[in-house]
Amino acid sequence: MMKFTVVIPCYNAAATLAQTLASITAQTHPAWQAICVDDGSVDATCAIVEALAAQDSRITLVRNPGKGPSDARNHGASFAAPGTVIAFCDADDIWSATKLSELTTVFADKSIDAAYGQVAFFTRDPEGARTLSTVPQGPLTIPMLLGENPVCTMSNISLRQSRFAASGGFDRNIVHNEDLEWLIRLVGEGARIVGVPLCQTWYRASTGGLSSDLQAMAGGRQTALRTAARFGHAPDRAAEAVHQRYLARRSLRLGQGRAEALRYALRGVSFSPAAFFSAPRRGALTLLGAVAALVMPRTLSRRLFAR
């Protein structure tokens, strides 16, 4: 039976961690261990993990205080035995109960090194999620990653332990967009990463999370672009247009400054109208939403676009 090591970096996650772990313990595939890596929490995070570990021996708490999410993931992955599959999950996201069972089918193909699925976006109630990410056809490529990263979140990627070890893990010096830089390295070094057209992950959009700091994410992206350049890739105007569309959509979901989403959208159109509207519904709705957000009450805007 295929075995999984679920790596969950935790920092002051008491408000959401129990729900996340409940989605892990609900898995229909029983052969997993969950490594919860505490990064120096000062709330009840550790107490929650310890209480749940007393009920399910597959859950383990380890401490790696104050070293950041990249180092926490590397530390958690070190507990994975050779031949297993590492599945990352953030402490505020939720998995479908069948995710690991579905992945056993995917990884039965020995040519596949890593896999990701669709992501549903929600704020409070996962049942209210209305927006799903898309899964492009074919293996993941660096040009795909330079536009709109289809993996979306670390909670949506699983890979063989041997491939993670060969990658050297995450760059511990990167806090924002560390996943993008790592994925570019994986693909550049020959990993075959495939998309699964099934919704397996529910992503909790938070106005206070690391991914809400779009300017800091832009700085992390520059590091990722330097990694891409090592493999002979640079974003063209089409990729920049798609990336700006992504930033506009994320800005709308997070309910940030009224003009910010429109600035991203107009910048994307200026790079390449064809690429910005390459997914006509997504491009048009993003631009219309950015314009509407200028006059729409902020509470209504956040309610609409967080879905």
Side-chain angles (χ1 to χ4, degrees), residues 62-129:
V62 299
R63 288 178 168 84
N64 194 51
K67 297 181 180 178
S70 293
D71 199 76
R73 292 190 182 104
N74 290 342
H75 187 60
S78 70
F79 289 84
T84 60
V85 173
I86 299 170
F88 293 99
C89 186
D90 289 343
D92 55 353
D93 294 337
I94 297 170
W95 282 358
S96 67
T98 55
K99 175 169 178 166
L100 295 183
S101 292
E102 292 160 359
L103 288 175
T104 60
T105 301
V106 174
F107 284 105
D109 183 342
K110 301 300 183 183
S111 72
I112 293 174
D113 296 302
Y116 65 98
Q118 287 182 295
V119 177
F121 299 89
F122 75 101
T123 48
R124 294 181 181 84
D125 180 10
E127 296 296 326

Short mmCIF file of all heavy atoms in Angstrom, two decimals, residues 62-129:
data_model
loop_
_atom_site.label_atom_id
_atom_site.label_comp_id
_atom_site.label_asym_id
_atom_site.label_seq_id
_atom_site.Cartn_x
_atom_site.Cartn_y
_atom_site.Cartn_z
N VAL A 62 6.31 18.19 15.76
CA VAL A 62 7.75 18.46 15.88
C VAL A 62 7.91 19.97 15.92
O VAL A 62 7.07 20.72 15.42
CB VAL A 62 8.55 17.86 14.70
CG1 VAL A 62 8.40 16.35 14.66
CG2 VAL A 62 8.14 18.47 13.37
N ARG A 63 8.99 20.41 16.53
CA ARG A 63 9.21 21.85 16.68
C ARG A 63 10.43 22.29 15.86
O ARG A 63 11.46 21.64 15.86
CB ARG A 63 9.38 22.21 18.15
CG ARG A 63 8.07 22.12 18.94
CD ARG A 63 8.27 22.44 20.41
NE ARG A 63 7.01 22.62 21.11
CZ ARG A 63 6.27 21.64 21.61
NH1 ARG A 63 6.69 20.38 21.48
NH2 ARG A 63 5.14 21.90 22.23
N ASN A 64 10.27 23.42 15.19
CA ASN A 64 11.33 24.00 14.37
C ASN A 64 11.19 25.52 14.48
O ASN A 64 10.95 26.22 13.50
CB ASN A 64 11.16 23.55 12.91
CG ASN A 64 12.37 23.82 12.06
OD1 ASN A 64 13.47 23.47 12.42
ND2 ASN A 64 12.16 24.45 10.91
N PRO A 65 11.33 26.06 15.70
CA PRO A 65 10.85 27.42 15.98
C PRO A 65 11.58 28.53 15.25
O PRO A 65 12.81 28.56 15.19
CB PRO A 65 11.06 27.56 17.50
CG PRO A 65 12.13 26.58 17.83
CD PRO A 65 11.91 25.43 16.89
N GLY A 66 10.76 29.42 14.68
CA GLY A 66 11.25 30.68 14.16
C GLY A 66 12.11 30.62 12.93
O GLY A 66 12.84 31.56 12.63
N LYS A 67 12.03 29.56 12.15
CA LYS A 67 12.89 29.44 10.98
C LYS A 67 12.16 29.68 9.67
O LYS A 67 12.76 29.62 8.60
CB LYS A 67 13.57 28.06 10.97
CG LYS A 67 14.48 27.84 12.17
CD LYS A 67 15.14 26.48 12.12
CE LYS A 67 16.05 26.28 13.34
NZ LYS A 67 16.66 24.93 13.35
N GLY A 68 10.85 29.90 9.73
CA GLY A 68 10.10 30.24 8.54
C GLY A 68 9.48 29.04 7.84
O GLY A 68 9.86 27.89 8.09
N PRO A 69 8.52 29.29 6.92
CA PRO A 69 7.77 28.20 6.29
C PRO A 69 8.61 27.29 5.41
O PRO A 69 8.37 26.09 5.33
CB PRO A 69 6.69 28.94 5.47
CG PRO A 69 7.25 30.31 5.27
CD PRO A 69 8.04 30.62 6.50
N SER A 70 9.61 27.85 4.72
CA SER A 70 10.44 27.01 3.84
C SER A 70 11.22 25.99 4.65
O SER A 70 11.25 24.80 4.34
CB SER A 70 11.40 27.87 3.02
OG SER A 70 10.68 28.68 2.10
N ASP A 71 11.86 26.45 5.71
CA ASP A 71 12.63 25.53 6.55
C ASP A 71 11.72 24.55 7.27
O ASP A 71 12.09 23.38 7.47
CB ASP A 71 13.45 26.32 7.57
CG ASP A 71 14.60 25.49 8.13
OD1 ASP A 71 15.60 25.32 7.42
OD2 ASP A 71 14.48 25.00 9.27
N ALA A 72 10.52 25.00 7.65
CA ALA A 72 9.56 24.10 8.31
C ALA A 72 9.18 22.96 7.38
O ALA A 72 9.09 21.79 7.79
CB ALA A 72 8.33 24.88 8.75
N ARG A 73 8.95 23.27 6.11
CA ARG A 73 8.59 22.22 5.16
C ARG A 73 9.76 21.26 4.94
O ARG A 73 9.58 20.04 4.86
CB ARG A 73 8.13 22.83 3.83
CG ARG A 73 6.81 23.59 3.94
CD ARG A 73 6.28 23.97 2.56
NE ARG A 73 5.04 24.74 2.68
CZ ARG A 73 4.94 26.05 2.53
NH1 ARG A 73 6.03 26.76 2.22
NH2 ARG A 73 3.79 26.66 2.66
N ASN A 74 10.95 21.82 4.83
CA ASN A 74 12.13 20.95 4.67
C ASN A 74 12.28 20.02 5.87
O ASN A 74 12.57 18.82 5.72
CB ASN A 74 13.39 21.81 4.54
CG ASN A 74 13.48 22.55 3.22
OD1 ASN A 74 12.79 22.21 2.26
ND2 ASN A 74 14.32 23.57 3.17
N HIS A 75 12.07 20.57 7.07
CA HIS A 75 12.21 19.76 8.28
C HIS A 75 11.16 18.66 8.33
O HIS A 75 11.46 17.50 8.63
CB HIS A 75 12.10 20.66 9.51
CG HIS A 75 12.39 19.96 10.80
ND1 HIS A 75 13.60 19.35 11.07
CD2 HIS A 75 11.61 19.76 11.92
CE1 HIS A 75 13.56 18.81 12.28
NE2 HIS A 75 12.38 19.03 12.81
N GLY A 76 9.92 19.01 8.01
CA GLY A 76 8.86 18.00 8.01
C GLY A 76 9.10 16.92 6.98
O GLY A 76 8.87 15.73 7.25
N ALA A 77 9.60 17.31 5.81
CA ALA A 77 9.85 16.33 4.74
C ALA A 77 10.96 15.36 5.12
O ALA A 77 11.02 14.25 4.59
CB ALA A 77 10.20 17.05 3.44
N SER A 78 11.84 15.75 6.06
CA SER A 78 12.94 14.87 6.47
C SER A 78 12.42 13.62 7.20
O SER A 78 13.16 12.65 7.36
CB SER A 78 13.93 15.62 7.36
OG SER A 78 13.36 15.91 8.63
N PHE A 79 11.16 13.64 7.62
CA PHE A 79 10.58 12.48 8.30
C PHE A 79 9.98 11.47 7.32
O PHE A 79 9.50 10.43 7.74
CB PHE A 79 9.49 12.95 9.28
CG PHE A 79 10.02 13.66 10.48
CD1 PHE A 79 10.32 15.02 10.43
CD2 PHE A 79 10.27 12.99 11.66
CE1 PHE A 79 10.82 15.70 11.53
CE2 PHE A 79 10.78 13.65 12.78
CZ PHE A 79 11.06 15.01 12.71
N ALA A 80 10.00 11.80 6.03
CA ALA A 80 9.43 10.89 5.03
C ALA A 80 10.42 9.78 4.71
O ALA A 80 11.59 10.04 4.44
CB ALA A 80 9.07 11.66 3.77
N ALA A 81 9.96 8.55 4.74
CA ALA A 81 10.82 7.41 4.43
C ALA A 81 11.01 7.28 2.93
O ALA A 81 10.14 7.68 2.14
CB ALA A 81 10.21 6.14 5.01
N PRO A 82 12.14 6.71 2.48
CA PRO A 82 12.32 6.46 1.05
C PRO A 82 11.18 5.62 0.49
O PRO A 82 10.69 4.71 1.15
CB PRO A 82 13.65 5.69 1.01
CG PRO A 82 14.38 6.14 2.25
CD PRO A 82 13.30 6.33 3.29
N GLY A 83 10.77 5.97 -0.72
CA GLY A 83 9.69 5.23 -1.37
C GLY A 83 8.30 5.75 -1.08
O GLY A 83 7.33 5.26 -1.66
N THR A 84 8.20 6.73 -0.19
CA THR A 84 6.89 7.29 0.13
C THR A 84 6.62 8.52 -0.73
O THR A 84 7.47 8.98 -1.49
CB THR A 84 6.81 7.66 1.61
OG1 THR A 84 7.82 8.64 1.91
CG2 THR A 84 7.02 6.44 2.49
N VAL A 85 5.43 9.06 -0.59
CA VAL A 85 5.04 10.28 -1.28
C VAL A 85 4.82 11.37 -0.23
O VAL A 85 4.15 11.14 0.78
CB VAL A 85 3.74 10.07 -2.10
CG1 VAL A 85 3.24 11.40 -2.67
CG2 VAL A 85 3.99 9.07 -3.23
N ILE A 86 5.42 12.53 -0.46
CA ILE A 86 5.24 13.67 0.42
C ILE A 86 4.10 14.53 -0.10
O ILE A 86 4.07 14.88 -1.29
CB ILE A 86 6.53 14.51 0.50
CG1 ILE A 86 7.68 13.68 1.06
CG2 ILE A 86 6.32 15.76 1.35
CD1 ILE A 86 9.04 14.35 0.95
N ALA A 87 3.16 14.86 0.76
CA ALA A 87 2.03 15.71 0.39
C ALA A 87 2.02 16.91 1.34
O ALA A 87 1.91 16.73 2.56
CB ALA A 87 0.72 14.94 0.48
N PHE A 88 2.15 18.10 0.80
CA PHE A 88 2.17 19.30 1.63
C PHE A 88 0.75 19.82 1.86
O PHE A 88 -0.12 19.73 0.99
CB PHE A 88 3.02 20.38 0.98
CG PHE A 88 4.48 20.05 0.92
CD1 PHE A 88 5.05 19.55 -0.25
CD2 PHE A 88 5.29 20.21 2.03
CE1 PHE A 88 6.39 19.22 -0.31
CE2 PHE A 88 6.64 19.88 1.99
CZ PHE A 88 7.19 19.39 0.82
N CYS A 89 0.52 20.37 3.05
CA CYS A 89 -0.77 20.99 3.36
C CYS A 89 -0.53 22.13 4.33
O CYS A 89 0.17 21.95 5.34
CB CYS A 89 -1.74 19.97 3.97
SG CYS A 89 -3.41 20.62 4.23
N ASP A 90 -1.05 23.30 4.04
CA ASP A 90 -0.93 24.42 4.97
C ASP A 90 -1.96 24.29 6.08
O ASP A 90 -3.00 23.62 5.92
CB ASP A 90 -1.10 25.75 4.23
CG ASP A 90 0.11 26.06 3.35
OD1 ASP A 90 1.17 25.44 3.56
OD2 ASP A 90 -0.01 26.92 2.46
N ALA A 91 -1.70 24.94 7.20
CA ALA A 91 -2.49 24.74 8.41
C ALA A 91 -3.84 25.44 8.40
O ALA A 91 -4.56 25.38 9.41
CB ALA A 91 -1.69 25.20 9.63
N ASP A 92 -4.20 26.06 7.29
CA ASP A 92 -5.53 26.67 7.20
C ASP A 92 -6.31 26.19 5.99
O ASP A 92 -7.40 26.69 5.70
CB ASP A 92 -5.42 28.20 7.18
CG ASP A 92 -4.53 28.72 6.06
OD1 ASP A 92 -3.88 27.89 5.39
OD2 ASP A 92 -4.47 29.95 5.87
N ASP A 93 -5.79 25.18 5.28
CA ASP A 93 -6.48 24.66 4.11
C ASP A 93 -7.12 23.32 4.42
O ASP A 93 -6.90 22.72 5.47
CB ASP A 93 -5.51 24.55 2.93
CG ASP A 93 -5.03 25.91 2.46
OD1 ASP A 93 -5.72 26.91 2.71
OD2 ASP A 93 -3.94 25.99 1.84
N ILE A 94 -7.90 22.82 3.47
CA ILE A 94 -8.71 21.61 3.69
C ILE A 94 -8.58 20.71 2.47
O ILE A 94 -8.56 21.18 1.33
CB ILE A 94 -10.18 21.99 3.92
CG1 ILE A 94 -10.33 22.83 5.20
CG2 ILE A 94 -11.07 20.74 4.04
CD1 ILE A 94 -11.71 23.43 5.37
N TRP A 95 -8.53 19.41 2.71
CA TRP A 95 -8.47 18.42 1.64
C TRP A 95 -9.80 17.70 1.49
O TRP A 95 -10.55 17.54 2.46
CB TRP A 95 -7.42 17.36 1.94
CG TRP A 95 -6.01 17.77 1.69
CD1 TRP A 95 -5.54 18.94 1.19
CD2 TRP A 95 -4.86 16.95 1.94
NE1 TRP A 95 -4.18 18.91 1.11
CE2 TRP A 95 -3.73 17.72 1.55
CE3 TRP A 95 -4.67 15.66 2.43
CZ2 TRP A 95 -2.43 17.21 1.65
CZ3 TRP A 95 -3.39 15.16 2.54
CH2 TRP A 95 -2.28 15.93 2.15
N SER A 96 -10.05 17.23 0.26
CA SER A 96 -11.17 16.30 0.06
C SER A 96 -10.80 14.98 0.71
O SER A 96 -9.62 14.60 0.79
CB SER A 96 -11.44 16.10 -1.43
OG SER A 96 -10.36 15.41 -2.03
N ALA A 97 -11.80 14.24 1.17
CA ALA A 97 -11.55 12.97 1.86
C ALA A 97 -10.92 11.93 0.96
O ALA A 97 -10.27 10.99 1.43
CB ALA A 97 -12.86 12.44 2.45
N THR A 98 -11.08 12.09 -0.35
CA THR A 98 -10.58 11.08 -1.30
C THR A 98 -9.25 11.48 -1.94
O THR A 98 -8.77 10.77 -2.84
CB THR A 98 -11.62 10.85 -2.41
OG1 THR A 98 -11.93 12.11 -3.04
CG2 THR A 98 -12.90 10.24 -1.85
N LYS A 99 -8.66 12.57 -1.48
CA LYS A 99 -7.45 13.06 -2.15
C LYS A 99 -6.34 12.02 -2.21
O LYS A 99 -5.78 11.73 -3.28
CB LYS A 99 -6.93 14.33 -1.46
CG LYS A 99 -5.61 14.82 -2.04
CD LYS A 99 -5.22 16.19 -1.55
CE LYS A 99 -3.87 16.61 -2.11
NZ LYS A 99 -3.58 18.03 -1.95
N LEU A 100 -5.97 11.43 -1.09
CA LEU A 100 -4.86 10.48 -1.09
C LEU A 100 -5.20 9.22 -1.87
O LEU A 100 -4.33 8.64 -2.53
CB LEU A 100 -4.46 10.14 0.35
CG LEU A 100 -3.88 11.31 1.17
CD1 LEU A 100 -3.43 10.81 2.54
CD2 LEU A 100 -2.73 11.98 0.44
N SER A 101 -6.44 8.79 -1.81
CA SER A 101 -6.86 7.62 -2.60
C SER A 101 -6.69 7.91 -4.10
O SER A 101 -6.22 7.05 -4.87
CB SER A 101 -8.31 7.26 -2.30
OG SER A 101 -8.45 6.78 -0.99
N GLU A 102 -7.08 9.11 -4.51
CA GLU A 102 -6.92 9.49 -5.91
C GLU A 102 -5.45 9.57 -6.30
O GLU A 102 -5.07 9.20 -7.42
CB GLU A 102 -7.63 10.83 -6.16
CG GLU A 102 -9.15 10.72 -6.04
CD GLU A 102 -9.83 12.05 -5.79
OE1 GLU A 102 -9.14 13.09 -5.68
OE2 GLU A 102 -11.08 12.06 -5.69
N LEU A 103 -4.62 10.03 -5.38
CA LEU A 103 -3.20 10.14 -5.68
C LEU A 103 -2.51 8.78 -5.79
O LEU A 103 -1.52 8.64 -6.52
CB LEU A 103 -2.50 10.99 -4.62
CG LEU A 103 -2.81 12.49 -4.68
CD1 LEU A 103 -2.17 13.21 -3.50
CD2 LEU A 103 -2.34 13.11 -5.99
N THR A 104 -3.03 7.78 -5.09
CA THR A 104 -2.43 6.45 -5.24
C THR A 104 -2.56 5.97 -6.68
O THR A 104 -1.66 5.31 -7.21
CB THR A 104 -3.09 5.43 -4.30
OG1 THR A 104 -4.49 5.33 -4.58
CG2 THR A 104 -2.89 5.82 -2.84
N THR A 105 -3.67 6.30 -7.31
CA THR A 105 -3.86 5.93 -8.72
C THR A 105 -2.89 6.70 -9.61
O THR A 105 -2.29 6.13 -10.53
CB THR A 105 -5.31 6.22 -9.15
OG1 THR A 105 -6.21 5.48 -8.32
CG2 THR A 105 -5.54 5.84 -10.60
N VAL A 106 -2.73 7.99 -9.33
CA VAL A 106 -1.82 8.82 -10.13
C VAL A 106 -0.39 8.30 -10.03
O VAL A 106 0.29 8.09 -11.04
CB VAL A 106 -1.90 10.29 -9.67
CG1 VAL A 106 -0.85 11.12 -10.41
CG2 VAL A 106 -3.29 10.86 -9.90
N PHE A 107 0.08 8.06 -8.81
CA PHE A 107 1.47 7.67 -8.61
C PHE A 107 1.74 6.20 -8.92
O PHE A 107 2.90 5.76 -8.86
CB PHE A 107 1.91 8.01 -7.19
CG PHE A 107 2.18 9.47 -6.98
CD1 PHE A 107 1.28 10.26 -6.28
CD2 PHE A 107 3.31 10.07 -7.50
CE1 PHE A 107 1.51 11.61 -6.09
CE2 PHE A 107 3.55 11.42 -7.32
CZ PHE A 107 2.65 12.20 -6.62
N ALA A 108 0.71 5.47 -9.29
CA ALA A 108 0.94 4.11 -9.79
C ALA A 108 1.72 4.15 -11.10
O ALA A 108 2.39 3.18 -11.47
CB ALA A 108 -0.38 3.38 -9.98
N ASP A 109 1.63 5.29 -11.79
CA ASP A 109 2.42 5.52 -13.00
C ASP A 109 3.82 5.96 -12.56
O ASP A 109 4.00 7.07 -12.06
CB ASP A 109 1.75 6.60 -13.86
CG ASP A 109 2.49 6.85 -15.17
OD1 ASP A 109 3.66 6.47 -15.29
OD2 ASP A 109 1.87 7.46 -16.07
N LYS A 110 4.80 5.12 -12.75
CA LYS A 110 6.15 5.38 -12.25
C LYS A 110 6.83 6.56 -12.95
O LYS A 110 7.84 7.08 -12.45
CB LYS A 110 7.03 4.13 -12.41
CG LYS A 110 6.50 2.90 -11.67
CD LYS A 110 6.40 3.15 -10.17
CE LYS A 110 5.95 1.88 -9.44
NZ LYS A 110 5.79 2.11 -7.99
N SER A 111 6.29 7.00 -14.08
CA SER A 111 6.90 8.12 -14.79
C SER A 111 6.50 9.46 -14.19
O SER A 111 7.08 10.48 -14.54
CB SER A 111 6.50 8.10 -16.28
OG SER A 111 5.13 8.47 -16.44
N ILE A 112 5.54 9.46 -13.28
CA ILE A 112 5.06 10.70 -12.67
C ILE A 112 5.82 10.97 -11.39
O ILE A 112 5.87 10.12 -10.49
CB ILE A 112 3.54 10.62 -12.41
CG1 ILE A 112 2.78 10.56 -13.74
CG2 ILE A 112 3.06 11.80 -11.57
CD1 ILE A 112 1.29 10.34 -13.59
N ASP A 113 6.41 12.14 -11.31
CA ASP A 113 7.18 12.53 -10.12
C ASP A 113 6.36 13.31 -9.11
O ASP A 113 6.61 13.24 -7.91
CB ASP A 113 8.38 13.39 -10.54
CG ASP A 113 9.36 12.63 -11.41
OD1 ASP A 113 9.86 11.59 -10.95
OD2 ASP A 113 9.61 13.08 -12.55
N ALA A 114 5.39 14.09 -9.59
CA ALA A 114 4.60 14.94 -8.70
C ALA A 114 3.25 15.20 -9.35
O ALA A 114 3.08 15.04 -10.57
CB ALA A 114 5.32 16.27 -8.43
N ALA A 115 2.28 15.59 -8.52
CA ALA A 115 0.93 15.80 -9.03
C ALA A 115 0.24 16.90 -8.25
O ALA A 115 0.55 17.16 -7.08
CB ALA A 115 0.12 14.51 -8.96
N TYR A 116 -0.72 17.55 -8.91
CA TYR A 116 -1.56 18.57 -8.28
C TYR A 116 -2.96 18.47 -8.87
O TYR A 116 -3.15 17.88 -9.94
CB TYR A 116 -0.98 19.98 -8.49
CG TYR A 116 -0.96 20.42 -9.94
CD1 TYR A 116 -1.96 21.23 -10.47
CD2 TYR A 116 0.07 20.00 -10.80
CE1 TYR A 116 -1.94 21.62 -11.80
CE2 TYR A 116 0.09 20.40 -12.12
CZ TYR A 116 -0.91 21.21 -12.62
OH TYR A 116 -0.90 21.59 -13.95
N GLY A 117 -3.95 19.01 -8.17
CA GLY A 117 -5.32 18.96 -8.65
C GLY A 117 -5.92 20.34 -8.77
O GLY A 117 -5.21 21.35 -8.88
N GLN A 118 -7.25 20.40 -8.73
CA GLN A 118 -7.94 21.69 -8.74
C GLN A 118 -8.05 22.22 -7.31
O GLN A 118 -8.05 21.45 -6.34
CB GLN A 118 -9.34 21.55 -9.33
CG GLN A 118 -9.36 21.36 -10.83
CD GLN A 118 -10.80 21.26 -11.34
OE1 GLN A 118 -11.51 20.32 -11.01
NE2 GLN A 118 -11.21 22.23 -12.13
N VAL A 119 -8.16 23.52 -7.20
CA VAL A 119 -8.29 24.18 -5.91
C VAL A 119 -9.59 24.98 -5.89
O VAL A 119 -9.91 25.70 -6.84
CB VAL A 119 -7.10 25.14 -5.65
CG1 VAL A 119 -7.27 25.88 -4.34
CG2 VAL A 119 -5.79 24.35 -5.65
N ALA A 120 -10.34 24.85 -4.79
CA ALA A 120 -11.53 25.67 -4.57
C ALA A 120 -11.16 26.76 -3.56
O ALA A 120 -10.48 26.49 -2.57
CB ALA A 120 -12.68 24.82 -4.03
N PHE A 121 -11.62 27.99 -3.80
CA PHE A 121 -11.26 29.13 -2.96
C PHE A 121 -12.44 29.51 -2.07
O PHE A 121 -13.57 29.63 -2.54
CB PHE A 121 -10.87 30.32 -3.83
CG PHE A 121 -9.68 30.05 -4.71
CD1 PHE A 121 -9.84 29.50 -5.98
CD2 PHE A 121 -8.39 30.31 -4.28
CE1 PHE A 121 -8.75 29.24 -6.80
CE2 PHE A 121 -7.29 30.05 -5.08
CZ PHE A 121 -7.47 29.52 -6.35
N PHE A 122 -12.17 29.71 -0.77
CA PHE A 122 -13.23 30.10 0.14
C PHE A 122 -12.65 31.04 1.20
O PHE A 122 -11.43 31.17 1.35
CB PHE A 122 -13.86 28.87 0.80
CG PHE A 122 -13.02 28.23 1.88
CD1 PHE A 122 -13.28 28.47 3.22
CD2 PHE A 122 -11.95 27.39 1.55
CE1 PHE A 122 -12.51 27.88 4.22
CE2 PHE A 122 -11.18 26.80 2.54
CZ PHE A 122 -11.45 27.04 3.88
N THR A 123 -13.55 31.70 1.94
CA THR A 123 -13.10 32.58 3.03
C THR A 123 -13.44 31.95 4.38
O THR A 123 -12.56 31.72 5.19
CB THR A 123 -13.74 33.97 2.91
OG1 THR A 123 -15.15 33.83 2.70
CG2 THR A 123 -13.13 34.75 1.75
N ARG A 124 -14.71 31.66 4.62
CA ARG A 124 -15.10 31.09 5.91
C ARG A 124 -15.62 29.66 5.78
O ARG A 124 -15.22 28.78 6.50
CB ARG A 124 -16.17 31.98 6.56
CG ARG A 124 -15.66 33.36 6.95
CD ARG A 124 -16.75 34.20 7.61
NE ARG A 124 -16.28 35.53 7.96
CZ ARG A 124 -16.24 36.55 7.14
NH1 ARG A 124 -16.66 36.40 5.88
NH2 ARG A 124 -15.79 37.73 7.53
N ASP A 125 -16.55 29.45 4.86
CA ASP A 125 -17.22 28.16 4.73
C ASP A 125 -16.79 27.49 3.42
O ASP A 125 -17.08 28.01 2.34
CB ASP A 125 -18.73 28.36 4.75
CG ASP A 125 -19.49 27.05 4.61
OD1 ASP A 125 -18.86 25.98 4.69
OD2 ASP A 125 -20.72 27.11 4.42
N PRO A 126 -16.09 26.36 3.49
CA PRO A 126 -15.68 25.70 2.24
C PRO A 126 -16.85 25.29 1.37
O PRO A 126 -16.70 25.18 0.15
CB PRO A 126 -14.88 24.49 2.74
CG PRO A 126 -15.29 24.29 4.16
CD PRO A 126 -15.62 25.65 4.68
N GLU A 127 -18.01 25.07 1.98
CA GLU A 127 -19.19 24.71 1.19
C GLU A 127 -19.62 25.86 0.30
O GLU A 127 -20.35 25.67 -0.68
CB GLU A 127 -20.33 24.32 2.12
CG GLU A 127 -20.05 23.07 2.95
CD GLU A 127 -19.89 21.83 2.09
OE1 GLU A 127 -20.56 21.74 1.04
OE2 GLU A 127 -19.08 20.96 2.46
N GLY A 128 -19.21 27.08 0.63
CA GLY A 128 -19.59 28.24 -0.16
C GLY A 128 -18.63 28.56 -1.29
O GLY A 128 -18.81 29.55 -2.00
N ALA A 129 -17.60 27.74 -1.49
CA ALA A 129 -16.64 28.00 -2.55
C ALA A 129 -17.31 27.92 -3.92
O ALA A 129 -18.03 26.97 -4.20
CB ALA A 129 -15.49 27.00 -2.46
#
